Amino acid sequence: MGHFLEKTWQKIIARPYITAGIAVVVVAGGAWAYSVATRAPQFEFVEATRKETLAQEVSVTGKVKAARDISLSFEKTGKVVAVRVETGQKVAPGQVLAYLDNQDARANIAKAEASVQLQEAKLEEAKKGARPEEIAIQETKVRASERAIMDTEQNLREKIQDAYTKSDDAARNSIDQIFVNSQTSLPPYKFLGNNPQLEIDLEWERGLLEGLLKNWTAELERLEQGGNLKTFADVSEKNLKTVRSLADKAALLANSFSATPPYTETTIDGWKAEISAARANVNTAVFSLLSAKEKLENARSDLDIARKELALKKAGATPEAIRAQEASLAETKAVLMAAEAELSKTIIRAPISGIITKRSVEPGEVAQAQTVAFAIISASDFEIEANIPETDIAWLALGQNAKITLDAYGDRVTFEGKVRRIDPAETVVEGIPTYGAKIQFSKKDSRIKSGLTANVDILIAERKNVIVLPSRAIAEKDGKMMVKVLVNGKAEEIEVKIGLKGSDGTTEITEGIHEGEKVIISND
């Protein structure tokens, strides 16, 4: 190999024009290499500028859907009486869609309403108090009760007097016929019977009765002067019972008498008849006296009640009575509410303004409770359902503004919206965790329709008067954000702090670079 090179070189030297050419090439190449080695590096710069407004957005794609999609059913089973809408028909909130046979429910409502009206009237009456006419009527009742007492008192006086009269007649006229001298303390009999003990008891009691009758006469005189009527009535009742006991024993003794001259059988029978009549009169007097006492007590009770009722009417209803009536009214209102609730279970009404998308009931058929009868979507309220990547979800918040375009109308037609909902749990889409979000249109627009593809830019942050650099001028190194600057002709890296990343490709610089400073974005 060395021999070959040596021979080749000798040939070149032997040809002067080739040697000269090589020399030129060598000289030129050396000069170029020297110039490259000594020339300064070339850089491309950008300047940190101040931006009036920097906005950071999250961009997603989704589908337009009705904001509300509702299924409606009856709350109870029953026969469908009428269906008032068709599929595709627009309906207003509260509009009746269909109803079941509900005559019983309506009758219960009518009854409950009548009860409420009655209780309301009673409460109003209780709060107002009695009318003058009612007070006048009650005053009349009081006066009637007072007159009744006067009448019953007079009747009792008469019965007391009658009790004395019948007692006196029974003792001194009827019973005394069997005694020789009844005015003595131990009056003897006209003749003896065959019951010695009874004769002794009767003789003793007749002697005591004479004092009783004298005292009774004195009591009657005090009664005429206005003494305590009840006390006199009680004394008279006690005296009557004593006389009745005497008459009972006298009748028993007379029944044991036999005809002995000078008394004939006819005379003895007359004694027996008179004593029997006296006993009957005393018993009648006892009954009449007790009845008169009871009537007086009842009359006094009636007067007391009448006076209290008059006082209540004059005073009006008490707070307790008003509260009780209010409670009664509340109870009847609760019954009415329950009846109305039962009626509502037989009627389906549109809860929103929308469009009927499904109807599955017909008049005459029996509808089952909780079985879908209608479906309705909102007619003008639309929203966009989109999936937000987990890298952007931390920036999202309810109420954030959004700019929306629809593929059907192109980028030039924009709509406004707001973030209305963010799902708390993730949904995995093609292996990537995402979070469902709903963006509601801010304004109604007839161009918005369910099913359209929507592109949404959600404004997650915005700042005013900030310093920015193109995002491509910033690089991450060891967890720090770095930019290159020219120092003594050489590119050096310095650390910066960044803020928002604008949708226009710029990034906010909060520390490290000032307005007007230049940074390197590329160098040759």
Side-chain angles (χ1 to χ4, degrees):
M1 181 69 179
H3 178 71
F4 173 76
L5 291 175
E6 181 180 357
K7 295 192 87 167
T8 301
W9 177 250
Q10 291 175 354
K11 289 178 180 179
I12 291 173
I13 293 175
R15 298 176 183 178
Y17 64 89
I18 293 178
T19 303
I22 291 174
V24 171
V25 170
V26 171
V27 171
W32 176 82
Y34 176 80
S35 65
V36 169
T38 58
R39 187 177 61 180
Q42 299 297 311
F43 299 101
E44 182 179 350
F45 296 91
V46 292
E47 184 177 321
T49 60
R50 188 170 296 276
K51 193 173 183 63
E52 182 177 349
T53 302
L54 181 65
Q56 183 171 338
E57 297 174 335
V58 170
S59 298
V60 294
T61 300
K63 286 288 185 181
V64 176
K65 292 188 176 181
R68 302 184 69 181
D69 187 350
I70 304 171
S71 295
L72 305 173
S73 60
F74 289 107
E75 293 186 49
K76 63 187 302 183
T77 299
K79 182 179 179 180
V80 179
V81 173
V83 179
R84 294 184 173 178
V85 294
E86 300 291 341
T87 301
Q89 181 177 334
K90 290 184 178 181
V91 293
Q95 181 176 338
V96 174
L97 308 184
Y99 59 89
L100 305 176
D101 183 6
N102 51 30
Q103 292 302 312
D104 291 345
R106 293 185 183 277
N108 290 336
I109 288 178
K111 181 179 178 181
E113 287 175 340
S115 297
V116 169
Q117 292 175 359
L118 176 61
Q119 296 302 326
E120 286 176 339
K122 287 184 177 181
L123 178 59
E124 184 177 358
E125 181 180 0
K127 289 182 177 180
K128 287 183 177 180
R131 299 191 302 273
E133 296 85 356
E134 293 175 321
I135 293 176
I137 291 173
Q138 192 60 41
E139 288 174 339
T140 301
K141 290 182 179 180
V142 170
R143 289 192 294 270
S145 297
E146 291 172 342
R147 287 194 297 270
I149 285 181
M150 294 175 62
D151 293 340
T152 53
E153 286 179 343
Q154 181 59 33
N155 178 60
L156 181 57
R157 289 189 185 94
E158 293 173 357
K159 298 306 179 186
I160 292 173
Q161 185 65 49
D162 184 63
Y164 171 78
T165 301
K166 284 183 168 60
S167 296
D168 181 76
D169 180 68
R172 290 173 174 169
N173 293 325
S174 299
I175 298 174
D176 278 2
Q177 292 182 88
I178 64 175
F179 292 98
V180 174
N181 183 4
S182 61
Q183 302 300 315
T184 62
S185 59
L186 294 173
Y189 296 103
K190 290 181 178 179
F191 60 84
L192 299 176
N194 56 8
N195 192 335
Q197 185 60 49
L198 180 60
E199 292 172 2
I200 293 172
D201 293 341
L202 182 59
E203 187 179 21
W204 173 259
E205 289 181 11
R206 178 60 187 87
L208 295 177
L209 182 60
E210 192 62 28
L212 181 147
L213 292 173
K214 290 179 181 179
N215 290 334
W216 199 346
T217 302
E219 290 289 332
L220 292 175
E221 290 177 357
R222 287 195 295 273
L223 176 61
E224 292 298 326
Q225 297 172 2
N228 189 305
L229 188 58
K230 184 179 183 303
T231 300
F232 292 126
D234 292 342
V235 171
S236 297
E237 181 182 351
K238 180 179 179 182
N239 292 344
L240 270 174
K241 292 178 179 178
T242 299
V243 174
R244 182 173 61 183
S245 175
L246 182 65
D248 291 341
K249 292 176 180 178
L252 184 60
L253 182 61
N255 286 332
S256 69
F257 289 164
S258 299
T260 303
Y263 305 107
T264 65
E265 193 70 36
T266 301
T267 300
I268 293 174
D269 288 343
W271 292 349
K272 292 178 181 179
E274 288 192 21
I275 292 173
S276 177
R279 289 177 65 202
N281 289 338
V282 170
N283 284 328
T284 300
V286 172
F287 175 78
S288 297
L289 180 63
L290 293 176
S291 178
K293 286 177 65 177
E294 183 179 0
K295 288 180 179 179
L296 178 58
E297 290 300 320
N298 290 339
R300 287 174 173 171
S301 177
D302 291 343
L303 176 60
D304 184 57
I305 292 173
R307 284 174 173 170
K308 288 180 178 179
E309 289 179 348
L310 176 60
L312 285 175
K313 287 188 177 294
K314 287 183 176 180
T318 63
E320 293 79 7
I322 291 177
R323 286 197 294 270
Q325 187 56 45
E326 288 174 339
S328 297
L329 176 59
E331 183 179 5
T332 55
K333 285 184 175 180
V335 173
L336 175 58
M337 291 175 62
E340 290 173 339
E342 284 300 310
L343 177 64
S344 68
K345 294 178 181 179
T346 68
I347 302 173
I348 294 181
R349 299 178 183 271
I352 61 172
S353 175
I355 300 173
I356 301 296
T357 60
K358 178 182 179 180
R359 165 188 157 176
S360 58
V361 292
E362 296 295 336
E365 70 180 22
V366 175
Q368 299 297 320
Q370 309 305 326
T371 299
V372 176
F374 298 94
I376 182 173
I377 63 171
S378 53
S380 56
D381 294 333
F382 291 95
E383 61 188 13
I384 300 166
E385 288 188 353
N387 292 316
I388 310 299
E390 64 175 342
T391 54
D392 294 327
I393 195 63
W395 296 96
L396 243 61
L398 296 179
Q400 288 175 332
N401 294 323
K403 183 177 68 174
I404 305 166
T405 61
L406 302 175
D407 285 356
Y409 305 111
D411 294 341
R412 293 185 179 182
V413 179
T414 60
F415 304 86
E416 295 179 354
K418 285 185 178 294
V419 177
R420 188 178 69 87
R421 178 177 173 179
I422 303 171
D423 290 345
E426 81 282 2
T427 300
V428 178
V429 178
E430 296 181 356
I432 300 174
T434 63
Y435 291 80
K438 291 185 178 180
I439 299 91
Q440 191 171 40
F441 286 89
S442 299
K443 296 179 180 179
K444 297 178 181 180
D445 195 310
S446 60
R447 294 173 294 180
I448 303 172
K449 292 178 175 56
S450 180
L452 296 180
T453 300
N455 305 298
V456 184
D457 294 326
I458 303 171
L459 180 62
I460 59 175
E462 186 177 66
R463 290 184 185 159
K464 302 288 186 179
N465 195 29
V466 296
I467 297 173
V468 298
L469 282 173
S471 299
R472 59 193 177 93
I474 306 168
E476 183 177 0
K477 185 176 182 180
D478 299 329
K480 299 179 180 180
M481 306 309 294
M482 312 295 290
V483 296
K484 292 180 180 180
V485 297
L486 190 62
V487 178
N488 298 324
K490 295 182 179 180
E492 291 188 3
E493 289 183 331
I494 63 171
E495 182 182 0
V496 295
K497 301 292 185 183
I498 64 172
L500 297 185
K501 293 183 178 180
S503 302
D504 59 353
T506 61
T507 298
E508 176 188 9
I509 304 298
T510 59
E511 293 182 17
I513 294 294
H514 298 89
E515 181 181 3
E517 289 189 66
K518 295 181 179 181
V519 299
I520 300 171
I521 59 173
S522 67
N523 61 289
D524 296 333

